[in-house]
Amino acid sequence: MINWICKSFNELTLEELYLILQLRSEVFVVEQHCYYQDVDGKDEKSYHLMGYDDGVLLAYARLIPPGVSYTEQSIGRVVLKKEARKSGTGKLLMQESIARSYQIFGKAPIKIGAQYHLKKFYELLGFEQCSDIYDDAGIDHIEMITS
């Protein structure tokens, strides 16, 4: 069972911050071969949702307030450890992210920049495509929003 913890940047321990950055780098930089500036100045303004199982950080998402990435609130840096994929953990992570975003920022539309190949996954969670396909670090992306 996953233990969800959500903290503002200033509430994170050094160990939590290290594990978050390690997981993001492991997946986005090494596994997906994307060379981009992960530490982008948004972490300090965001909340950080961490999903632990038996002390291991398996799932993470960044909950971003309105006016930082988009006019709307946003969820970004959605990431799972490889061993947590295809187990339903991604759906749980997004459901928890949406619920926490509404709790923190209010029930209003959430806008995301999603990898295009995950379009159907996000549609099942209530997101609709609202942009053309664009390239982000060599991977096709689209913007999506909830109603």
Side-chain angles (χ1 to χ4, degrees):
M1 186 156 142
I2 296 185
N3 178 32
W4 298 105
I5 299 169
C6 188
K7 294 183 176 184
S8 70
F9 182 80
N10 291 331
E11 295 172 319
L12 293 173
T13 67
L14 288 177
E15 181 181 2
E16 288 168 333
L17 180 59
Y18 181 84
L19 291 173
I20 289 167
L21 294 175
Q22 183 181 45
L23 179 59
R24 287 175 12 184
S25 177
E26 176 183 310
V27 175
F28 297 134
V29 177
V30 177
E31 185 181 319
Q32 294 182 353
H33 307 288
C34 290
Y35 304 102
Y36 72 105
Q37 185 63 45
D38 179 43
V39 180
D40 58 4
K42 295 179 186 177
D43 286 315
E44 299 95 311
K45 300 171 186 140
S46 301
Y47 284 79
H48 303 270
L49 180 62
M50 301 162 281
Y52 288 91
D53 185 21
D54 202 22
V56 176
L57 180 63
L58 289 183
Y60 168 82
R62 182 167 72 176
L63 312 180
I64 306 167
V68 176
S69 289
Y70 304 105
T71 303
E72 302 84 1
Q73 61 186 306
S74 183
I75 299 169
R77 300 291 197 263
V78 177
V79 64
L80 296 174
K81 266 190 140 357
K82 193 176 244 182
E83 56 267 27
R85 295 181 205 150
K86 300 188 187 215
S87 66
T89 304
K91 182 178 179 183
L92 293 174
L93 171 60
M94 281 306 297
Q95 289 171 331
E96 189 71 21
S97 296
I98 292 165
R100 298 285 181 124
S101 288
Y102 288 160
Q103 180 183 14
I104 295 166
F105 307 122
K107 185 140 174 46
I110 299 172
K111 191 170 190 178
I112 62 173
Q115 292 184 7
Y116 183 70
H117 75 277
L118 294 171
K119 178 183 176 192
K120 289 193 187 311
F121 169 75
Y122 287 113
E123 285 175 339
L124 292 172
L125 292 160
F127 288 88
E128 296 176 1
Q129 183 174 341
C130 62
S131 78
D132 291 332
I133 298 172
Y134 62 93
D135 180 276
D136 187 2
I139 297 175
D140 285 343
H141 279 68
I142 52 173
E143 290 178 357
M144 302 185 80
I145 195 163
T146 60
S147 50

